[in-house]
Amino acid sequence: MAVLLVATSLAILAVDFTLFPRRMAKTQYYGQSLMDTGTAAFIFVNAIADHDGMARGQSPRQRAAKATMQLFTFRVPTLLALFLIGVGRSVFIRLSGYGQDVTEYGVHWNFFLTLFCVRLFVIGVPNALLMPLGVLLGLLYQTALRLTSLEQWLLRPDFGESRHGFLGQNREGIFSLFGYCFIYALSLMYARCSAKLTLRDKKLSPLNVAGELGFSLCCYCSQRVLEAHFGLSASRRLANLAYAFAMLALFSTTCALFQFIQLVVPLPQDARRGGLVAAISRNALLHFLCANLMTGFVNLLAMASPHLEIHGHQIGETVAMLTYALLTSLLIYGIHLAKKQTR
């Protein structure tokens, strides 16, 4: 979780700078890049965390409904926080004129509202039906993309001013939910299979790594079959099946790599539970919120001050990135320490 959050927080600011390779920015129509992985990665991590909660007697529905987060000095339900942050971000962008690419999620939609809706899916569906219903939604969605003009409509090159109605203005964010529910369902399946391969003493074994690589290979082969025999191309904007399998292959391979490293060079238990890694992992949503706020602050400051030339100057961009990373880490670590002292 911490690795994902740090990489994401760095990327959301770096993408506005010239030092960030354009090939890693979000794709407009089809293809895969580093920035296309963000939302799917959070869905994947949520599914794994939900499955881990089941081992402690807490179902995914209970975890999604009862989870809370420390929002600075307030503890609020995570579901409510996601909704408020999502709506607040949309309102801020509309009022401030802060730039956004409407082809990412739409005019009003954003990452937080997508997570909110997927968590609603987890709460609203019985635990036994989460995987089959998620898979079914993904298959039906892909069928609609294939057999109707839905795909052409979703990818239509019109922007904010030429879109009409809430559904039309936010079509990418709304319809991609079906694909993200599919990703959640298969991620839950991945977590369940991985848990079955874990030894009774909960220690990692080569069987874990082999099983996760096998899952990754199945996802990769599924993606290749869809591309070669059905003419599908991965699209983050659509969140179609080719994209879903590509993301699942990437994430499961990454997990297998981390587990292999842990087998070869075991980390002490204290090292895995303490320090900045623990601070970020236990305050995941707050960390991402802080990163978003600081990203907006840096960009607004650069636009508002003609003397503060950052964009286009590699030294200035590098200093800004390092300062941003340091301040974000110090802020979340300070909040983490404050929470520990109040317990």
Side-chain angles (χ1 to χ4, degrees):
M1 171 65 89
V3 174
L4 165 65
L5 285 165
V6 171
T8 303
S9 64
L10 290 174
I12 59 176
L13 177 62
V15 71
D16 296 323
F17 293 158
T18 56
L19 59 80
F20 191 82
R22 290 298 94 193
R23 68 179 183 277
M24 295 185 181
K26 287 186 177 180
T27 54
Q28 283 285 343
Y29 296 100
Y30 299 101
Q32 304 162 60
S33 73
L34 175 65
M35 291 292 288
D36 287 332
T37 63
T39 306
F42 275 85
I43 301 294
F44 179 81
V45 170
N46 270 329
I48 293 177
D50 285 345
H51 184 270
D52 289 345
M54 293 172 66
R56 299 188 295 271
Q58 189 178 41
S59 68
R61 172 187 284 185
Q62 292 172 328
R63 184 176 180 275
K66 297 180 179 179
T68 60
M69 65 167 287
Q70 190 77 27
L71 197 59
F72 300 108
T73 58
F74 304 98
R75 178 161 288 280
V76 297
T78 302
L79 201 64
L80 177 62
L82 285 171
F83 178 75
L84 292 178
I85 295 169
V87 173
R89 187 180 188 277
S90 296
V91 172
F92 169 78
I93 288 175
R94 298 294 291 179
L95 294 179
S96 66
Y98 187 79
Q100 70 165 340
D101 183 359
V102 297
T103 64
E104 290 185 19
Y105 297 99
V107 178
H108 312 106
W109 209 266
N110 54 58
F111 161 83
F112 297 103
L113 292 177
T114 294
L115 281 190
F116 169 75
C117 289
V118 173
R119 299 313 280 167
L120 281 183
F121 168 76
V122 175
I123 292 173
V125 176
N127 298 321
L129 296 178
L130 273 175
M131 284 190 287
L133 184 57
V135 171
L136 179 62
L137 285 175
L139 293 175
L140 291 176
Y141 174 56
Q142 183 59 65
T143 302
L145 289 173
R146 187 72 172 174
L147 300 181
T148 69
S149 59
L150 178 61
E151 181 170 341
Q152 289 73 26
W153 179 64
L154 290 174
L155 296 179
R156 195 169 61 187
D158 57 345
F159 299 96
E161 297 299 327
S162 57
R163 297 186 178 205
H164 303 286
F166 183 80
L167 183 64
Q169 289 177 325
N170 302 284
R171 56 180 184 262
E172 293 92 346
I174 294 172
F175 281 90
S176 64
L177 289 173
F178 296 107
Y180 288 124
C181 287
F182 179 84
I183 291 175
Y184 178 87
L186 286 193
S187 300
L188 206 58
M189 186 183 301
Y190 159 83
R192 183 170 296 181
C193 294
S194 180
K196 288 183 178 180
L197 295 175
T198 303
L199 300 176
R200 290 185 178 180
D201 56 4
K202 296 186 178 181
K203 290 184 178 179
L204 294 177
S205 70
L207 188 60
N208 282 94
V209 179
E212 292 181 2
L213 287 176
F215 182 89
S216 174
L217 182 62
C218 289
C219 291
Y220 176 73
C221 290
S222 298
Q223 179 199 358
R224 298 301 296 170
V225 168
L226 289 172
E227 291 177 343
H229 298 285
F230 294 90
L232 301 185
S233 296
S235 171
R236 182 241 352 132
R237 197 168 160 187
L238 297 173
N240 57 5
L241 289 192
Y243 168 80
F245 282 121
M247 295 299 101
L248 289 166
L250 172 64
F251 303 146
S252 53
T253 301
T254 304
C255 288
L257 176 61
F258 281 135
Q259 292 199 356
F260 176 75
I261 294 173
Q262 176 65 16
L263 280 174
V264 176
V265 188
L267 288 174
Q269 197 70 15
D270 292 341
R272 282 178 279 171
R273 291 183 177 177
L276 185 60
V277 171
I280 294 174
S281 297
R282 293 172 185 173
N283 301 277
L285 190 57
L286 182 58
H287 177 272
F288 190 66
L289 174 61
C290 292
N292 271 269
L293 292 174
M294 292 190 68
T295 297
F297 175 75
V298 171
N299 286 324
L300 288 174
L301 186 64
M303 289 187 294
S305 176
H307 303 292
L308 187 62
E309 295 185 358
I310 298 176
H311 296 84
H313 300 272
Q314 290 199 353
I315 294 179
E317 290 178 348
T318 303
V319 171
M321 285 295 303
L322 292 174
T323 305
Y324 161 85
L326 178 62
L327 291 178
T328 305
S329 299
L330 288 175
L331 177 61
I332 205 67
Y333 190 64
I335 293 172
H336 177 65
L337 289 179
K339 286 170 60 178
K340 288 180 67 176
Q341 291 175 357
T342 56
R343 288 175 184 172

